[in-house]
Amino acid sequence: MIAKIGKGENLYGAISYNQKKIDSENGQVLLLNRIPETLDNTYSTNYLHQCFEPYLSANIRTEKPVRHISLNPDPADRVSDGQFVKMAKEYMERMGYGNQPYVVFKHTDIERTHIHIVTVCVGLDGKKLPDSYDHPRSMAICRDLEQTYNLIPATEKQRTGNEEVFRPVDYRAGDVKSQIASVVRHLPKYYGYASLGAYNALLSLFNITAEEVKGELHGQPKNGLVYFAMNEQGEKASNPFKASLFGKQAGLDELQNQFAKAKEKMKADPTRAVLKSTIEVAMHTATDEADFKKQLMEQGINTVVRRNNEGRIYGITFIDHESRTVWNGSALGKNLSANVFNDWWNEQAVEQRRETENTNAQNQPPTAGNGTAIEKEEAHALFNFLNKEQPTDDLWINGLGGLLPEAQGEDYEEQEFANRMKKKKKHRKRGRQH
């Protein structure tokens, strides 16, 4: 069973997402905890939202008081409603939410029947419930539930302790060729991607891009690949390096073989449905693009968005570091294509959604009460198996660590010129000594 914990501030969006499943007859409410039941057992988004209000109004400093959790058994598991209720209760009790109000929704819109739980992490005293190391604790609880209910264990990528430590390329540091080689020679061992675009999305995390080149050799068409280092703006910041410099596995022919194998394997990957659901939840609970990316990053998912010169989104890719798979949005579903996100993040559309939610939740008290300034939470750690310098029993470490370098704003050509001038000065000094 796979668990995903989403953290945000948009409670109305979280409830509305699940209510839409019910309205389309693809979901139902399985359990209410510390929330009054209605006479006809039907519930509206407004009703459920009001039941959480005393907790939200009491909130003092927590910026993200909403928790949206999904528990996803294997598609082959046959879990009854009664078992789902028992699992949800045990999970929430052990995670420290047993005395909180929460709603358990069952979703049946995909092959993988699963449950979503919406709750808040602040008590009536306005204080935040402890949630340190909640991801490792969640994983441990899932393993126990698998044994208790005889569920198929979730497929996990095992750490061998011999993984490579990858670092982003710094074009200013010199020996760019070796820096690129340390990534492209080993990265394919760990991640699955089904296209050159997906491969490039992954490489972009390491400040690298690969570009296809076409030509002729002895009158025969010949295709190849070259690699570049990139700067913080995603622009080429080095000379091109032929793929052959990095070995056969970095070349176009071998990559295309990898794409075909990965595409076939990813079709049956059970994490696909979980990832799709996680992204959909973030779409409905995030306030804008930046919040959307942050929510997913806290769950171990990077979002790479590609825009043209006019600013229109023409590609979106999701990198799931837990399953180590890279997905184009359209491969997950038509509702996650680039065009959908382009419209979804359109300023007018964002404003319209905010106005709708404000209207639906009008007359509700503010989320962070008492007028106290909200204290920002630290983003939860991303799962990063690549850094073997971390203790093996602490799977959740700080984000991508130094994976994404801070913007320096330096120009590659100017830096190269400065380096050449330094070399000339050294030669002059040596000449004077002689």
Side-chain angles (χ1 to χ4, degrees):
M1 184 166 66
I2 299 172
K4 286 288 186 181
I5 305 174
K7 301 180 180 182
E9 56 183 305
N10 187 355
L11 175 66
Y12 193 92
I15 298 173
S16 176
Y17 167 76
N18 289 282
Q19 185 61 44
K20 287 177 180 177
K21 300 289 185 181
I22 296 174
D23 294 342
S24 62
E25 299 184 349
N26 288 315
Q28 66 183 97
V29 173
L30 283 188
L31 174 68
L32 297 176
N33 191 71
R34 293 185 175 268
I35 292 177
E37 295 183 1
T38 61
L39 292 176
D40 58 359
N41 289 322
T42 59
Y43 305 93
S44 67
T45 301
N46 281 337
Y47 173 79
L48 294 174
H49 187 273
Q50 289 172 4
C51 293
F52 287 99
E53 269 307 325
Y55 296 81
L56 297 177
S57 299
N59 179 26
I60 300 173
R61 294 189 301 271
T62 303
E63 184 189 40
K64 294 185 175 182
V66 181
R67 295 291 179 267
H68 193 147
I69 302 163
S70 68
L71 300 182
N72 306 270
D74 189 275
D77 286 321
R78 295 292 174 261
V79 184
S80 68
D81 290 353
Q83 289 175 320
F84 268 130
V85 168
K86 289 179 181 178
M87 285 193 288
K89 284 183 176 180
E90 181 176 344
Y91 180 90
M92 294 299 279
E93 185 69 36
R94 292 177 61 180
M95 288 295 288
Y97 296 105
N99 294 322
Q100 292 294 101
Y102 62 80
V103 188
V104 179
F105 299 91
K106 176 184 174 183
H107 289 194
T108 57
D109 55 330
I110 59 175
E111 180 186 3
R112 192 183 196 125
T113 301
H114 57 290
I115 57 175
H116 285 240
I117 308 171
V118 176
T119 188
V120 289
C121 68
V122 290
L124 287 172
D125 59 359
K127 295 180 180 179
K128 180 185 174 186
L129 275 64
D131 65 350
S132 299
Y133 305 106
D134 56 353
H135 287 89
R137 287 192 294 119
S138 173
M139 291 168 66
I141 295 169
C142 286
R143 300 296 82 80
D144 290 345
L145 291 175
E146 287 169 352
Q147 292 187 2
T148 301
Y149 295 94
N150 196 28
L151 304 178
I152 298 172
T155 302
E156 294 182 355
K157 304 289 185 180
Q158 299 297 323
R159 289 162 53 105
T160 65
N162 298 318
E163 290 90 349
E164 294 291 328
V165 178
F166 299 117
R167 306 207 181 279
V169 170
D170 182 355
Y171 63 88
R172 300 173 298 272
D175 199 5
V176 175
K177 174 187 168 185
S178 293
Q179 291 188 65
I180 294 176
S182 66
V183 176
V184 301
R185 284 178 177 168
H186 304 287
L187 200 61
K189 298 177 184 177
Y190 303 111
Y191 281 81
Y193 32 78
S195 68
L196 184 59
Y199 179 54
N200 262 325
L202 180 60
L203 289 179
S204 71
L205 300 184
F206 301 91
N207 300 337
I208 303 171
T209 188
E211 189 173 289
E212 190 173 358
V213 291
K214 298 181 180 181
E216 285 190 4
L217 181 63
H218 305 306
Q220 297 294 323
K222 187 75 173 178
N223 295 351
L225 211 62
V226 292
Y227 290 82
F228 296 86
M230 296 193 299
N231 61 20
E232 294 77 15
Q233 289 74 44
E235 303 163 336
K236 296 173 186 175
S238 75
N239 294 322
F241 295 92
K242 292 181 180 180
S244 57
L245 295 171
F246 308 122
K248 182 180 178 182
Q249 72 284 342
L252 186 60
D253 290 343
E254 184 61 27
L255 281 172
Q256 287 176 338
N257 290 333
Q258 293 177 30
F259 298 158
K261 291 177 182 177
K263 189 173 184 178
E264 195 62 30
K265 185 177 180 181
M266 288 166 68
K267 282 181 182 178
D269 195 324
T271 61
R272 178 182 178 275
V274 180
L275 179 61
K276 183 176 184 290
S277 176
T278 304
I279 295 168
E280 289 173 344
V281 170
M283 285 180 72
H284 285 81
T285 57
T287 53
D288 51 28
E289 180 178 348
D291 187 32
F292 173 83
K293 290 180 177 178
K294 187 175 181 182
Q295 281 196 36
L296 292 183
M297 194 175 224
E298 290 169 355
Q299 299 181 72
I301 302 163
N302 269 105
T303 306
V304 178
V305 179
R306 296 178 293 284
R307 286 182 165 87
N308 61 20
N309 293 334
E310 287 72 41
R312 181 174 181 82
I313 298 173
Y314 68 87
I316 187 163
T317 304
F318 301 97
I319 303 167
D320 183 5
H321 295 286
E322 287 188 63
S323 64
R324 303 177 204 169
T325 51
V326 186
W327 301 81
N328 287 326
S330 56
L332 291 170
K334 292 181 179 179
N335 63 324
L336 301 181
S337 67
N339 285 335
V340 169
F341 281 96
N342 189 75
D343 296 338
W344 190 259
W345 288 329
N346 178 280
E347 289 184 12
Q348 187 176 357
V350 171
E351 188 60 34
Q352 187 175 2
R353 285 198 300 275
R354 286 176 178 169
E355 288 179 1
T356 301
E357 289 190 2
N358 288 337
T359 300
N360 290 332
Q362 63 184 343
N363 301 323
Q364 302 293 339
T367 297
N370 305 332
T372 308
I374 295 177
E375 181 182 278
K376 288 188 176 181
E377 291 183 77
E378 288 187 4
H380 216 292
L382 272 178
F383 180 71
N384 182 3
F385 75 102
L386 298 173
N387 194 338
K388 62 184 177 184
E389 295 173 0
Q390 297 293 329
T392 55
D393 60 344
D394 185 7
L395 298 180
W396 292 87
I397 62 176
N398 290 332
L400 287 175
L403 202 61
L404 303 176
E406 295 180 2
Q408 301 293 328
E410 291 187 36
D411 182 80
Y412 172 74
E413 293 182 357
E414 288 185 9
Q415 185 64 37
E416 284 292 293
F417 175 76
N419 290 338
R420 288 196 299 270
M421 293 303 293
K422 287 179 183 179
K423 290 179 181 179
K424 286 183 180 179
K425 286 181 181 179
K426 288 181 180 179
H427 287 310
R428 286 174 187 169
K429 288 180 180 180
R430 290 174 183 168
R432 286 174 186 171
Q433 289 174 355
H434 291 301

